[in-house]
Amino acid sequence: MTQIIDGKKISAQIKDELKERVAELGRQGVKVTLAVIQVGADPASSVYVRNKKNACAYIGIRSLAYELPEETTQQELLDLIGELNDREDVNGILVQLPLPGHIEEEKVLNVIRPDKDVDGFHPQNVGALCIGRRGFVSCTPAGIIQLLKRSGIEIAGKECVVVGRSNIVGKPMALLLLRENGTVTVAHSRTKDLKEITKRADILVVAVGRPRMITSDYVKEGAVVIDVGIHRNEENKLCGDVDYESVAEKCSAITPVPGGVGPMTIAMLMNNCVESVALQQSGKVS
Ligand code: NDP
């Protein structure tokens, strides 16, 4: 029978573990604080920011919300990040993306102090992942590793195929699977014979951003399929990059959408906030 990988349950377990760690830090007199900056009032971003605040409240992390108007200048944003970088009582800094068009995303992400960069987007953290050093890892791929491990799925020695090579999902996903000793192939829009490649996968991670593109003929019998995609279909229902109904019949384990990868992203963000305390204390990332 196909195993449905329950991201809701696993993320709840992680949040409960973090709640205990935060309570323990509290007993030692350490408070964990996350600063969340949103520029403009994009409705989807507002939902994500609210979910992050709620997760912080549940775990016991103090959250500082900076809701800046759309017309905030790049310099004003950089100045605020500079202030938060210097504040000893702030452990993590998160800038909600996308930013308005007049602000250069890269410039902004690059000024966040690497040991406060809980999204794991700073080049220093990306480099640390590449060469196996300690640092923050992008939350969605980090969450997928947790989903696999906590579902008892072995990665070492497995053929892993990642479809998608974005900086926030595909590339860090490939590096993490490699770190876990998988044999990793990365496919993208210029890949030839995609089906031939995906059909080799024991573990197939799909992050293409195309609704239901991966049908059962892309999947090997008995594979583990992780669907990162999130879309609304014609009936306004959520669906992924994988055609769940047909693929679920063929694979050994699959993440549903919703309730698979999605809830893990916030759980791993919370994990990075808690880790930031230890990283700042050890001075390993700065
Ligand atoms: P991007 O659009 O940044 O990247 C998509 C990748 O897929 C690119 O590397 C692209 O290749 C590749 N691709 C596109 N079309 C094809 C194709 N026909 N065949 C093979 N490869 C293709 O997306 P993201 O990585 O940011 O996100 C992917 C999906 O995951 C989206 O649906 C997004 O909403 C979702 N997502 C979900 C999260 C969650 O928490 N659940 C978090 C982040 C993202 P190329 O590089 O050649 O253009």
Side-chain angles (χ1 to χ4, degrees), residues 176-189:
L176 284 173
L177 289 165
L178 189 60
R179 187 162 91 180
E180 298 296 330
N181 300 310
T183 302
V184 183
T185 305
V186 182
H188 46 79
S189 68

Side-chain angles (χ1 to χ4, degrees), residues 14-26 30-36 51-65 89-94 118 266-277:
I14 292 174
K15 284 196 246 172
D16 284 337
E17 291 163 15
L18 290 171
K19 195 174 181 171
E20 275 178 34
R21 281 176 65 191
V22 169
E24 181 49 39
L25 284 167
V30 179
K31 235 183 167 24
V32 186
T33 300
L34 170 68
V36 181
N51 289 344
K52 285 167 190 174
K53 278 193 220 157
N54 289 344
C56 282
Y58 178 77
I59 292 166
I61 294 174
R62 182 171 71 128
S63 64
L64 305 177
D89 66 328
V90 172
N91 306 100
I93 303 170
L94 182 149
V118 284
I266 286 193
M268 297 317 288
L269 172 70
M270 297 296 111
N271 180 66
N272 281 352
C273 292
V274 177
E275 286 292 316
S276 68
V277 174

Side-chain angles (χ1 to χ4, degrees), residues 55-120:
C56 282
Y58 178 77
I59 292 166
I61 294 174
R62 182 171 71 128
S63 64
L64 305 177
Y66 294 87
E67 282 149 19
L68 309 181
E70 182 87 23
E71 56 278 8
T72 302
T73 64
Q74 178 166 299
Q75 195 52 49
E76 285 168 334
L77 179 57
L78 294 178
D79 290 346
L80 171 61
I81 295 171
E83 263 172 49
L84 296 168
N85 278 341
D86 291 341
R87 269 177 66 170
E88 281 199 5
D89 66 328
V90 172
N91 306 100
I93 303 170
L94 182 149
V95 178
Q96 185 63 44
L97 302 179
L99 288 167
H102 64 280
I103 300 180
E104 276 177 80
E105 218 164 86
E106 198 181 329
K107 269 219 170 101
V108 169
L109 297 180
N110 286 358
V111 299
I112 297 176
R113 235 173 72 174
D115 63 347
K116 296 191 176 189
D117 166 42
V118 284
D119 257 338

